[in-house]
Each structure stands twice: as structure tokens, then as C-alpha cells.
Amino acid sequence: RHADVERALQRAERDVQEAAELAGRLARRCDELRSTLLALDEQGNALRAAAAERQTDIANARAALAEAEAEQERAREQRAAWQVEQAQVHARVQVAADREHRLVEELRAASERLDSLGAELGGLSAGDAELAEQTAAWQTDLDARLAALSDGEQRLADAERSVATTDAALTEAEHALDRARHEGTAVADELHHAELRYTELSGRRTAIRERLEAEWRRPLDEMVAAAEPLELDDDALRAETEGLRQQIEELGAVNVLAIEEHDETVKRLEFLTAQRDDLTAAKTALTQAIREIDATAREMFLQTFVQVRDHFRQIFMTLFGGGECDLRLENPEAPLDCDIEIHASPRGKRTQRIHLLSSGERALVALSLLFGIFLTKPSPFCLLDEVDAPLDDANIGRFVRMLTEFKKKTQFIVITHNPRTTTEAADAVYGVTMQEPGVSSLVSVRMKGAPVDDTAPGEPAETAATA
């Protein structure tokens, strides 16, 4: 790889050297071109005039070509060949136009193709002359082909009349052929029905013959030869035969596969019995598992319920400064399906249900239950929305002390309008102010530690305290 890289580097150096030499030659060539620029301008004007004349000639040629195309459209039989010729003419015209375009571009750029421009202009003039000659030849050929086309159309009209006459005769012959075919089809249908009837009768005869030979185990011809004529009436024989047939039918069909079907039924019965035993065992196991799960859930629920009940009483005594409270199961026999009743009796009141308490007392009871649950199973955060609204100053003090105690393990987000809760329990306060009419801004204040936001506080409409 190193040798390849060195060879590539040597080639690149040679290329750079050659490029430098070429750049020098190009610079010298550029100086020469600058010296001939004035002469090129004069020649360019002459070439533009010649190009304008060529455009006129090309326009005339295009008009002649359009006329030729219109005439070629009327030639139906040689349409494909004329389209090819039209494409060739268009290509030649396009080549001439491209050459003129390249000529104009080269004149503008004043490049080193000045010497070839004269040759190309000469070739273009020769091409234009050749194009004019070809156009005249094509016009002559077109006139001859139009004459041939007129003659061909006359012959085509005569041929069409002959074809119409032939079509009429052919239609009449086809009608006659259809009638003959219908008659042949009817005869074939009758023959087919007769063949079917013959086949049916032959089959019945063969079946009767085989049945008789199978029942009597003797050839039919031998039985017919050995049959003795009876002097009984045919009707009596038919009646006796019908009676015997009815007796045979009353016996019913004989099932020769009864033994195999009995064996299969026994096997099926054994399989279903085994399946039923498996389902019974699975049902018993599932019932046992349900009983064990219910017992475990009942035990865990009762343990948790007792813990929450004790913690609820503890928190209730702290918040109310006394009184009695209790959590009771509506149906102790079914603790997992019954409701839980909350009984609370603040100090100086009888024990009663929570819905009979005032709004402030119900709020404290709810907080007692919430904090009792937190003591049983702490939560990482808790959101409280206006829980201190119905509380008086004394109860707010107890609520703040409880928040301060529990915020060591749980982060509280409290939405409140009470400034006491905000200032005493919060570590950070977030509020919305309106410093200008219709323009709200967020204000955050760190109550302890470094400030969160240096924005000047306004009049808070509502604050969120984070403990």
C-alpha cells in the first residue's frame, strides 16, 4: 500500500507539473487571444449577419417542411416512411440550429476555436445548400407520391365496392349455414336423448341381471331355462313380491361397521373421561390457588389496615389535639369486598361519621388519613390543592407542623392562597403576577437557600409552594 501511495504521489506530482506547463501555455494563448479580440469582434458581426441570413433560410426550410408534413399526413399507406423522413429533416435542421448556437457562444467567449468557426460556417453554408437541394428533391418526390396515392385511393374505392358485394353474399351464406346448423343441432339432440335412454335401459338391464345372479348364485340364462311356467296371475305374483319387499325393508339396513364404530366410541369415551378428570383436577387446583390467594390477600390487607388504622389515630390525635377516631370494615367477614367507614369524634363531640363534620374538620380527618397512609407506605411526592382553605389559624399551624415533619421523606406541592402556609412550610414559592394589565408573568422565590429567580414580585393571584 505504501508503494501504491508513492506511485500515486509521483503521478500526482507529474500531473501538477503538466498542469503548471499547461497553465503557462494557456496564459500565453490568452495573451494572443487578447491581441486578436478586435479582429474577432469584426468577424463576429459578420458572422451574426450571416447567421441571420441562415435563420431566414431555415425558417423557409421549416415552412416547406411543415407543408411537406401536412401532405405526408394525407398519405396513409406510406405514412411510416414519411414520418422517418420528416424526423431526418428535423434532425438536420436541429443540427444546423445547434451549430449556429455553438457558433454564437464561441464568439462571445472569444476562445481558441476561432480557426474552426470559419470552417464550420463554410460547412454550414454547404449544408444549407445541400438542405435546399434535398428539400427540392423531396418536393418532387412528394408530388410523385401524391399522384400515386390518388391512383391507389381510386383502386381502393373499387376494391371496397367489391368487398361490400362480397360481404353481402357472405352474410346470406352465413344465414343459410346458421339454419343448417340449427337443424343439425336439433337432430343431434334427439340422437343424444335416444342414446341416453338406451344407455339407461342397458344399465338397468345389467343391474337387474347382476342382482339376480348375485342373489341366486346362478347365471341368468340358466335360471331362465330352468324356470317352470306357473299358472298364477301376474298381479298375484306382483302382490306377493311387494309384500316380501316390505318385510325386507321392515328389517332395516344391516350395519356391517357396527363393531368398528363401537370400538371407536369406546376409545372416544375413554379420552373424554380422561379429559374430564384432568379438568376436575385443574379446577380443584385452581380453587385451592384462589383460596390461598384470598387468604394471603386477606392477611396482607388486614395487616395494612391495622397499620393504617393505628397511624390514622396517631395523626388524628396530633392534628385535633385529642378526640377519638376509628376505621371500621362494613363487613369484617369479607374484608376484600366491603366498604370502609371512617368514624371521627373531635375533642368535646360524640363519635360520629365524617359526613356529619364541618368542612374544616373533614379536611383535617382527610389529612389524618393521608398522612397515616404515608406513614405506612411513604410516597415520593404529593400534590395538595387548597386543602388549607377551610382551616382556621390554629389548625393551619398544626397542618404546617405536620408538613414540616413529613417533608423529610416526601416532596409536597401545595396550591394555596394562605400566606402563612407559604411562609412557614415552603422552601420555594411560585406565583403568577400581573405587573401590567393583561400581561401575566411567573415569579419564583427561594425561601431557603439561593434565590431561584430575581424577578421583582408583584401581587400574587395564586401561589404554589414546594416543600
Side-chain angles (χ1 to χ4, degrees):
R1 293 179 59 186
H2 186 269
D4 293 339
V5 171
E6 288 182 351
R7 287 194 295 272
L9 180 60
Q10 293 175 1
R11 287 196 298 269
E13 290 176 353
R14 289 197 300 271
D15 293 341
V16 170
Q17 185 177 1
E18 292 175 358
E21 296 176 356
L22 180 61
R25 290 196 301 270
L26 290 177
R28 291 191 297 273
R29 184 60 178 168
C30 185
D31 295 335
E32 294 176 359
L33 289 176
R34 289 194 186 96
S35 64
T36 58
L37 182 60
L38 297 176
L40 288 176
D41 291 337
E42 295 178 357
Q43 293 180 2
N45 294 329
L47 289 174
R48 291 189 186 92
E53 294 178 359
R54 297 297 181 273
Q55 290 289 347
T56 304
D57 296 338
I58 291 172
N60 296 331
R62 288 178 178 173
L65 180 61
E67 183 179 359
E69 290 177 355
E71 293 177 354
Q72 287 176 356
E73 289 294 334
R74 292 189 295 268
R76 293 179 298 178
E77 295 180 354
Q78 298 182 355
R79 184 174 181 179
W82 290 352
Q83 287 179 350
V84 173
E85 294 176 357
Q86 177 186 356
Q88 293 176 354
V89 172
H90 184 70
R92 294 291 299 275
V93 173
Q94 187 65 33
V95 169
D98 293 340
R99 288 180 180 177
E100 289 182 354
H101 179 69
R102 288 195 301 270
L103 180 61
V104 173
E105 293 296 328
E106 289 176 358
L107 286 175
R108 291 176 185 174
S111 62
E112 58 185 18
R113 294 192 57 182
L114 179 63
D115 297 336
S116 63
L117 289 176
E120 289 183 2
L121 288 175
L124 182 62
S125 299
D128 292 338
E130 183 180 357
L131 179 62
E133 293 177 359
Q134 285 186 349
T135 304
W138 289 341
Q139 184 66 33
T140 304
D141 189 17
L142 180 62
D143 294 338
R145 292 184 178 182
L146 288 175
L149 178 62
S150 300
D151 188 13
E153 288 180 350
Q154 182 64 31
R155 291 196 301 270
L156 179 61
D158 296 338
E160 287 178 351
R161 286 193 295 270
S162 300
V163 169
T165 304
T166 305
D167 288 340
L170 180 61
T171 302
E172 184 178 358
E174 287 179 351
H175 289 323
L177 181 60
D178 291 337
R179 290 193 296 270
R181 285 177 178 174
H182 287 308
E183 294 176 357
T185 302
V187 173
D189 292 338
E190 293 179 358
L191 179 60
H192 180 65
H193 290 309
E195 290 177 350
L196 291 177
R197 182 61 178 172
Y198 175 76
T199 303
E200 181 181 359
L201 294 176
S202 299
R204 292 178 60 184
R205 178 181 178 182
T206 303
I208 293 171
R209 183 186 186 93
E210 291 177 353
R211 180 180 177 184
L212 292 175
E213 290 179 352
E215 290 180 355
W216 295 96
R217 301 180 183 275
R218 294 173 60 189
L220 181 61
D221 297 337
E222 183 179 351
M223 288 188 294
V224 171
E228 297 179 358
L230 298 177
E231 297 179 357
L232 299 177
D233 189 8
D234 294 339
D235 296 334
L237 294 175
R238 289 191 181 93
E240 184 179 359
T241 303
E242 186 65 25
L244 294 175
R245 185 179 291 110
Q246 291 179 358
Q247 293 177 3
I248 293 173
E249 292 178 355
E250 290 176 356
L251 292 176
V254 178
N255 187 6
V256 296
L257 301 176
I259 298 175
E260 290 80 357
E261 292 178 356
H262 178 266
D263 295 337
E264 293 179 358
T265 304
V266 171
K267 293 180 181 179
R268 180 64 176 171
L269 178 60
E270 293 176 354
F271 174 75
L272 293 177
T273 303
Q275 293 291 323
R276 184 192 63 183
D277 295 339
D278 293 340
L279 291 176
T280 303
K283 180 181 178 180
T284 303
L286 182 60
T287 305
Q288 181 65 24
I290 292 174
R291 285 196 296 268
E292 293 177 357
I293 292 173
D294 289 342
T296 304
R298 179 189 179 95
E299 182 181 358
M300 295 178 64
F301 175 78
L302 291 176
Q303 292 177 358
T304 306
F305 178 76
V306 171
Q307 294 177 4
V308 173
R309 183 180 181 184
D310 295 339
H311 294 156
F312 171 61
R313 290 176 178 176
Q314 178 183 352
I315 301 298
F316 182 86
M317 295 296 180
T318 303
L319 290 178
F320 281 92
E324 297 179 358
C325 66
D326 193 10
L327 295 178
R328 300 175 184 174
L329 296 175
E330 187 179 17
N331 184 10
E333 300 298 331
L336 299 178
D337 299 329
C338 67
D339 297 333
I340 300 176
E341 296 181 355
I342 302 176
H343 295 266
S345 177
R347 186 173 53 182
K349 294 185 179 181
R350 291 186 308 170
T351 303
Q352 52 187 340
R353 295 190 178 184
I354 188 173
H355 65 275
L356 299 176
L357 301 177
S358 64
S359 59
E361 292 172 342
R362 280 184 289 178
L364 287 179
V365 172
L367 289 172
S368 301
L369 180 59
L370 176 64
F371 288 129
I373 295 174
F374 280 178
L375 284 177
T376 305
K377 186 176 182 181
S379 176
F381 67 92
C382 177
L383 176 64
L384 302 176
D385 187 6
E386 298 290 350
V387 297
D388 57 349
L391 302 180
D392 54 11
D393 292 339
N395 291 328
I396 286 178
R398 298 190 185 97
F399 171 64
V400 170
R401 287 192 297 272
M402 191 63 63
L403 280 180
T404 304
E405 181 179 353
F406 275 87
K407 72 179 184 180
K408 299 176 183 178
K409 296 182 179 180
T410 302
Q411 182 181 8
F412 290 92
I413 301 174
V414 183
I415 301 174
T416 180
H417 286 83
N418 196 318
R420 183 176 176 183
T421 304
T422 303
T423 56
E424 293 185 8
D427 296 333
V429 179
Y430 302 89
V432 179
T433 66
M434 188 178 293
Q435 298 179 356
E436 298 179 5
V439 179
S440 300
S441 61
L442 182 65
V443 177
S444 58
V445 179
R446 177 76 67 180
M447 306 300 294
K448 298 180 182 179
V452 178
D453 194 354
D454 296 334
T455 306
E459 296 180 357
E462 183 173 353
T463 61
T466 302

